[in-house]
Amino acid sequence: MKIEQIYTGCLAQGAYYITSAGEAVIIDPLRETQPYINRLQEDGVQLKYIFETHFHADFVSGHLDLSHKTGAPIVYGPSANPEFKAIIAEDHQIFEIGDIKIKVLHTPGHTLESSCYLLMDENGVEKALFSGDTLFLGDVGRPDLAQKGANMTQEELAGLLYDSLYHKILPLHDDITVYPAHGAGSACGKNMQKETIDILGNQKRTNYALNQKDRQSFIKEVTDGLLPPPAYFAMNVMMNKKGYNSFDEVLSQGLHALAPEKFEEIAEASGALVLDVRNNREFAKGFIPQSVNIGLDGDFAPWVGALIADVNQPILLVTEKGTEEEAVTRLSRVGFDHILGFLEGGFKAWEMNGKETDFINRISAEQFETEIKGNEEKIIDIRKESEYNAEHLHEAYSMPLAYINEWVNELRAEEHFYMHCGSGYRSTMAASILQARGYRNFTEIEGGFKAIASTTSIPKSDFVCQTKILNKLD
């Protein structure tokens, strides 16, 4: 028997590849299926089942393409109702794969169909729990995503989650290995640990949600401090439930090279968003007017989902040479399939053709220190609230990037402000969005708070460990 976690850091997502005696299963696969097929061929094994722990909200699973290409059936837990052929398992139903067995544990709460998969080895010993979004390391799945479809409140769903965890998961042996669907950074929970694998006994000791005195206490702690889910979540659920275009088709269309003239023509005719995925340093120096920057070198896909939101938005790409396929692939993982092509030759080709360009008014941390002395100009910190609470510039306002569509309306065109994030990645995103909407009276700080804190003497609040802050929120 072999268990392999295939972890994708950008999505903080874990897929699982399990083999035994010539047969294999894959749990919660990513959108692009060829790496799995290559692995199956290399190992000389047959894919017997594709297990889905639930209808995912934060990414589009590869279950349909993988099933079409391999013939392996898709398995969901009880109460799932996909609009395609699938095995809807019963609670405690057992599936045999080679010499091992996998038992379905229906664990509603995160969603109604949420299920965990309990693996038993060739001797019948329970060895591993693939816990999906029911149990994370340090946290549990948020219970507010399925409210509309379930016609239940988040408190009622949290109650179901309590029953699932306390009656089906906690009674399991302490030495069982827990393999969750997500880790730190995912929006599917609020306080996950950085580790991606643990034993259940340690989670019983350290996970706040597994140490509540009663059901009501659990409901309060799990629902307290939940931030609104990203807007694209509901659309991803529908794609996972109803079906989607083949990834191969999406990739073929997205890799259509467009000369500058054709790129400009399509942009004007289609209303497509020009998405520039270069790093923030290159983007700040020059870019196509009205384009938005979300760099491939960071948490690209989640930020695309949070900031663009509508998966049906047509997109034209500006990339560094050789990164076009990566950009299309990572967009497709969160359901952004309407990619019309990419700028052939990149931004340099655009410049060489004499097209109009724009730039970000960006200064160094040292220049910021010089300019801010004696002035009372506004400073906007677009980091997460937890980062701001941990340490911030004394005069800075907390206006997280995730809520830019709300606070942008509070800006006054005549009032200049300085803006920073943690390192420059997010503030360049914000700057591109602001300029696309006509706001130009601001200055972005290169290197963000990290550069400000290390190279200037600008007064800052006392540092407070973010973990302590999160624990207080929980």
Side-chain angles (χ1 to χ4, degrees), residues 155-272:
E155 287 75 20
E156 289 172 326
L157 284 164
L160 288 180
L161 185 57
Y162 173 87
D163 295 337
S164 296
L165 290 163
Y166 280 70
H167 300 319
K168 289 190 174 180
I169 305 301
L170 280 177
L172 298 174
H173 298 300
D174 285 3
D175 57 358
I176 286 175
T177 303
V178 178
Y179 294 100
H182 292 292
S186 169
C188 293
K190 59 182 180 179
N191 189 24
M192 299 182 215
Q193 297 169 354
K194 65 180 185 299
E195 295 80 12
T196 61
I197 298 172
D198 198 6
I199 60 170
L200 183 58
N202 190 50
Q203 286 303 302
K204 290 179 183 180
R205 291 188 294 272
T206 63
N207 191 320
Y208 78 96
L210 303 183
N211 287 278
Q212 298 302 314
K213 61 183 179 180
D214 55 34
R215 200 170 191 264
Q216 283 307 119
S217 176
F218 176 91
I219 292 171
K220 179 182 183 301
E221 290 299 318
V222 168
T223 57
D224 186 39
L226 282 176
L227 297 175
Y232 78 102
F233 269 27
M235 300 178 205
N236 275 199
V237 169
M238 287 299 102
M239 292 178 72
N240 283 316
K241 188 175 181 179
K242 294 176 178 293
Y244 47 74
N245 294 329
S246 163
F247 170 72
D248 295 337
E249 295 175 8
V250 174
L251 185 61
S252 177
Q253 175 61 41
L255 293 183
H256 184 44
L258 301 168
E261 288 292 341
K262 189 65 176 177
F263 186 94
E264 185 176 38
E265 177 186 325
I266 293 176
E268 292 176 351
S270 66

Side-chain angles (χ1 to χ4, degrees), residues 362-388:
R362 167 179 266 200
I363 63 173
S364 67
E366 293 86 352
Q367 187 176 344
F368 170 60
E369 181 179 33
T370 300
E371 292 187 11
I372 204 69
K373 281 183 178 177
N375 293 329
E376 295 183 359
E377 289 199 72
K378 191 172 187 176
I379 303 170
I380 292 178
D381 184 335
I382 67 162
R383 296 175 300 161
K384 293 186 293 185
E385 289 181 11
S386 60
E387 295 173 276
Y388 177 87

Side-chain angles (χ1 to χ4, degrees), residues 76-134:
Y76 281 95
S79 81
N81 56 344
E83 296 185 14
F84 46 82
K85 186 177 180 180
I87 297 172
I88 308 304
E90 297 178 1
D91 193 19
H92 293 99
Q93 183 172 343
I94 291 177
F95 293 83
E96 296 185 0
I97 303 95
D99 295 329
I100 65 173
K101 296 178 180 179
I102 289 180
K103 180 191 287 187
V104 178
L105 298 180
H106 187 209
T107 51
H110 174 65
T111 64
L112 290 183
E113 78 286 350
S114 284
S115 296
C116 299
Y117 297 109
L118 181 63
L119 183 148
M120 295 168 282
D121 68 13
E122 60 275 11
N123 299 314
V125 177
E126 297 174 350
K127 301 292 289 187
L129 181 72
F130 301 90
S131 58
D133 284 21
T134 296

Side-chain angles (χ1 to χ4, degrees), residues 431-453:
S432 67
I433 292 170
L434 292 175
Q435 291 194 187
R437 298 186 184 184
Y439 293 90
R440 304 192 65 89
N441 193 16
F442 65 88
T443 302
E444 188 245 349
I445 304 164
E446 183 176 9
F449 188 79
K450 183 178 181 180
I452 296 169

